[in-house]
């Protein structure tokens, strides 16, 4: 399906002239005072992970691949990759490590995710925006340190590291953004 370049957004999957599929990492439109407005698209090739950048006129046509987004539940990881189950018909799909990338650290058993399916193969994944994790170890709070002034490093139950406020101690459950691993709030459970 052809769309104009300025309508491309992060996460879209496009097909370039070489016939390869690319996932859009960033898409920025530039409107100079003089000259033609352009859209710069940073993307990663799905087959091997090579990153590239293209610049289009904002009205230029770009081929957007038809990708179906479906809800899946994460089951487990093995040597083949990550196994997900379709919540409606119980079909299982194995997703390669390259598709999931750095986000794999936030996968939890039973987690509901959205997989982008192209010709029966998973080519992209969207995790929930936030996950709840337990703080395994962190430095003790310093007396007289104000809560708003600084953050301290903490190791989480999934092995990731995050910066947390001084009042958070080991054993506390916190909410973390899956996009960048940043602290959001103390869990309310």
């Amino acid at each position: 399906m052809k769309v104009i370049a300025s309508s491309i957004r992060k996460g879209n999957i496009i097909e370039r002239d070489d016939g390869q599929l690319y996932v859009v990492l960033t898409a920025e439109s530039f409107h100079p005072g003089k000259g033609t407005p352009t859209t710069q698209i940073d993307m990663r090739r799905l087959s091997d992970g090579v990153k590239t950048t293209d610049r289009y006129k904002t009205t230029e046509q770009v081929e957007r691949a038809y990708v179906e987004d479906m809800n899946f539940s994460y089951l487990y990881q093995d040597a083949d990759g990550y196994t997900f189950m379709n919540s409606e018909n119980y079909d299982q799909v194995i997703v390669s490590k390259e598709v999931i990338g750095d986000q794999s650290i936030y996968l939890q058993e039973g987690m509901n995710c959205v997989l982008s399916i192209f010709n029966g193969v998973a080519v992209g994944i969207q995790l929930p925006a936030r996950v709840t994790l337990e703080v395994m170890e962190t430095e003790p709070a310093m007396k007289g340190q104000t809560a708003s002034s600084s953050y301290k490093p903490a190791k989480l139950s999934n092995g990731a590291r995050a910066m947390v406020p001084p009042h958070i101690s080991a054993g506390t459950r916190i909410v973390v953004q899956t996009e960048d691993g940043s602290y959001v709030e103390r869990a309310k459970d």
Side-chain angles (χ1 to χ4, degrees), residues 35-73:
T36 309
T38 59
T39 299
Q40 180 173 316
I41 301 175
D42 294 331
M43 53 194 137
R44 180 175 37 85
R45 190 165 42 219
L46 292 172
S47 59
D48 57 9
V50 173
K51 290 183 182 176
T52 186
T53 300
D54 274 352
R55 192 171 283 226
Y56 301 95
K57 293 177 183 167
T58 53
T59 55
E60 205 172 328
Q61 298 285 311
V62 178
E63 184 68 36
R64 186 167 167 202
Y66 178 71
V67 177
E68 192 175 4
D69 288 342
M70 300 172 72
N71 291 322
F72 280 80
S73 181

Side-chain angles (χ1 to χ4, degrees), residues 141-160:
M142 303 284 259
K143 188 171 183 167
Q145 190 176 19
T146 60
S148 63
S149 69
S150 63
Y151 280 61
K152 60 184 181 178
K155 187 173 182 185
L156 307 177
S157 56
N158 65 350

Side-chain angles (χ1 to χ4, degrees), residues 101-108 127 131-139 152-164 168 170 172 174-183:
D102 297 342
Q103 295 181 323
S104 65
I105 199 162
Y106 296 109
L107 280 175
Q108 298 172 347
L127 296 182
V131 293
T132 302
L133 298 166
E134 186 176 335
V135 175
M136 299 310 286
E137 59 183 63
T138 186
E139 300 167 2
K152 60 184 181 178
K155 187 173 182 185
L156 307 177
S157 56
N158 65 350
R161 296 198 172 277
M163 297 301 283
V164 298
I168 301 293
T172 306
I174 62 170
V175 177
V176 177
Q177 291 273 89
T178 55
E179 190 176 327
D180 58 4
S182 62
Y183 170 84

